[in-house]
Amino acid sequence: MKIDPELKIELKKTLMNEINKKRDDIIIESSIPLSNEQISMLLEKYPKFKNKNIKFVLNRKIIAGIIIKQGSTIIDLSLLTQFNQIKKNLYEIT
Amino acid sequence: MKLLDQYLKQIEKELSSKKVDTASKETGSLVELKDGIAIVNGLDKGFFGEIVEFENGVQGYILDLSEDSVGIIVLGDYLTLSEGMQVKGTGHILSIPVGDELIGKVVNPLSQSLFSSQNFKLTKNYPIERIAPGVVKRQSVNSPVQTGIKAIDALIPIGRGQRELIIGDRVTGKSTIAIDTIINQKNKNLICIYCSIGQKNSKIASVINTFNKYDAMNHTIVVSSSASDPVSMQYLAPYSATAIGEYFMDKGNDVLIIYDDLTKHAWAYRQLSLILRMPAGREAYPGDVFYLHSRLLERACKLHKNYGGGSLTAIPIVETLEGDISGYIPTNIISITDGQIFLETELFNAGIRPAINIGLSVSRVGSNAQTKAIKQVSGRLKLDLAQYRELAAFSQFESDLDEGTKKNLNRGAKVSQILIQSRNNPYTLTEEVCLIWSAVNGYLDNIPLNKINDFEMKLINELKLSNYKDIQKKIEKTKELDKNLEQLIKKMIEKLVKTIL
């Protein structure tokens, strides 16, 4: 089946838009569900997150704190990472 | 118990100084792992040469950027990595710690000591890849690297800041020339770096032993990546050796780097690029294999006085197959360097060691890089040898030769004989000057070939005696031959020749 070239361009455009939108989506991982108050505090701290799709994910493994992901960038504020960091530093000292 | 307290204190300090990192970081996830290379999805804003860190603390180095994934060289044990691991960008370009403490050490390409007994802390960092100094910062090469090898110092001089290739088949004494040069640099104000790329561990060990035996380790750094190291390390080794060299050069020191050898470096890069699926070209090397070596060797230079006046001399070694210097990698490197020393198997087997083919060897810096004393005596030498080579092949068919030809042949044979020298036995400037002077001025013509060696030994002993200490002193000081000095040398040699005959 042949697709009309014009249609093809349109289709490509919409698909690209979809992908870009998804890339802009923000995922926030936390060990316990965040309260509304906490979420508003977060938005205050990071104003660029406003008007964006935010997805909340529960992840017990990170122990405490949150991890914010957007596309390929990450802000890691979890306790697990800090523990790992300490583990590494201790190894270097001894 | 005291040690434990110390540890606890350090840990306390470490913990109190740590702050929570709130900066956003580039990440990706590992999707593929092959022979020292990791393919990672994500890392959208990663750049070429950036250091990345895997979840378990292993570091990597971005070498290849494709549309939606990056190729990363793993610096460390790649077998500890697993699929799906998080990879974080650090935003730093790959650099290694450098410092004066490195002198006398044996390190890997990341400037970590290979001996646990060698502890040192380095504070300064130098990038592994650096753009070579531009035209403004450079100066023409004007002072020599005394190799202590008569044939090289007289005929193919190497200057400080020059790039001179050593090329030849296997077992023709390529490394030996390089090692002898390093041994000769004791108290000569030249820091040597021996960079081994993809060699057998046993060979590296014997090289280090030789350095120790001749007391050469005090001015030498060995950067080692053996055949059992991952290819990524072999690929990095010459660049990090150059980074260490640049540190000393920027301080105003003179540095000599030996790359032993660049053929294996090209192989390592070929393996990396084939794993990364870069398009393969001639002999399956990637398209940028020329740039691989040109950007490395271009970093050798002589800095202008206003910029510290340091220099970095590069001596790459390349191995040929069956004496074929028209191979891909040899021709590339010949065209990059400022000259080559060509070693031949036939000469080596004929007992002419170092087996330098003088016809094919050149130094494009020329006699600017020679001390005046050597320049004064070596002018005739080249002519004598050139005539000898022409006649030698021709005279094999002719039995009765005229007097002039016979004389030329005799002179050539003696001159060739005097240029022979055993390994790990570098000559001082004075010894070189006196020996070549006697050859060029025809004092050896009457000595039979098998006694030339005796003459050499006697001359060297004589120079050490108090009668002729002046010669040594004067040549070392002025580096020039004046009439009085020449008379003195003449007197000494005439006396010596008589004792031999």
Side-chain angles (χ1 to χ4, degrees), chain A residues 8-91:
Chain A
K8 212 170 170 180
I9 293 167
E10 270 314 302
L11 195 65
K12 207 171 170 185
K13 247 189 212 164
T14 39
L15 280 174
M16 272 309 268
N17 272 340
E18 265 329 285
I19 291 172
N20 280 340
K21 243 191 239 161
K22 239 191 186 154
R23 205 170 260 185
D24 261 11
D25 277 359
I26 291 160
I27 301 169
I28 298 183
E29 279 182 33
S30 57
S31 54
I32 47 162
L34 295 177
S35 65
N36 281 340
E37 199 182 337
Q38 281 169 322
I39 292 169
S40 61
M41 267 166 73
L42 255 177
L43 286 178
E44 215 171 283
K45 174 100 183 159
Y46 297 105
K48 60 179 178 181
F49 289 171
K50 266 172 197 164
N51 308 323
K52 295 231 166 109
N53 247 339
I54 301 182
K55 214 168 123 192
F56 294 95
V57 179
L58 264 187
N59 186 356
R60 289 265 173 212
K61 270 189 191 160
I62 66 171
I63 308 174
I66 52 169
I67 295 175
I68 307 168
K69 283 181 189 165
Q70 181 184 25
S72 76
T73 53
I74 191 168
I75 301 174
D76 198 331
L77 304 170
S78 71
L79 199 57
L80 179 73
T81 319
Q82 286 186 43
F83 275 144
N84 277 337
Q85 199 70 39
I86 288 172
K87 199 165 132 192
K88 224 172 74 191
N89 285 334
L90 290 188
Y91 178 74

Side-chain angles (χ1 to χ4, degrees), chain A residues 23 45-46 48 68-78 81-82 84-86 88-90 92-94, chain B residues 7 10-11 14-15 18 20-28 42-45 53 55-57 68 86 88:
Chain A
R23 205 170 260 185
K45 174 100 183 159
Y46 297 105
K48 60 179 178 181
I68 307 168
K69 283 181 189 165
Q70 181 184 25
S72 76
T73 53
I74 191 168
I75 301 174
D76 198 331
L77 304 170
S78 71
T81 319
Q82 286 186 43
N84 277 337
Q85 199 70 39
I86 288 172
K88 224 172 74 191
N89 285 334
L90 290 188
E92 272 168 20
I93 285 173
T94 50
Chain B
Y7 280 151
Q10 226 164 348
I11 289 166
E14 192 71 30
L15 290 184
K18 271 273 148 0
V20 180
D21 190 9
T22 57
S24 64
K25 276 180 177 155
E26 279 290 308
T27 59
L43 283 173
D44 290 350
K45 291 193 180 89
E53 199 177 87
E55 224 171 275
N56 60 356
D68 44 20
Q86 287 269 330
K88 260 187 218 155

Side-chain angles (χ1 to χ4, degrees), chain B residues 350-394:
Chain B
I352 300 176
R353 299 174 196 186
I356 301 172
N357 179 326
I358 289 151
L360 285 175
S361 305
V362 286
S363 169
R364 265 165 246 168
V365 170
S367 51
N368 286 344
Q370 268 176 323
T371 45
K372 238 180 160 184
I374 292 253
K375 216 191 288 182
Q376 281 166 321
V377 292
S378 69
R380 277 292 302 281
L381 193 67
K382 270 179 213 168
L383 204 70
D384 283 343
L385 277 171
Q387 278 177 342
Y388 172 61
R389 268 203 315 278
E390 234 170 62
L391 290 172
F394 165 74

Side-chain angles (χ1 to χ4, degrees), chain B residues 155-168:
Chain B
L155 297 165
I156 328 152
I158 302 173
R160 295 195 174 186
Q162 196 189 340
R163 300 160 295 172
E164 180 85 12
L165 171 68
I166 299 176
I167 186 169

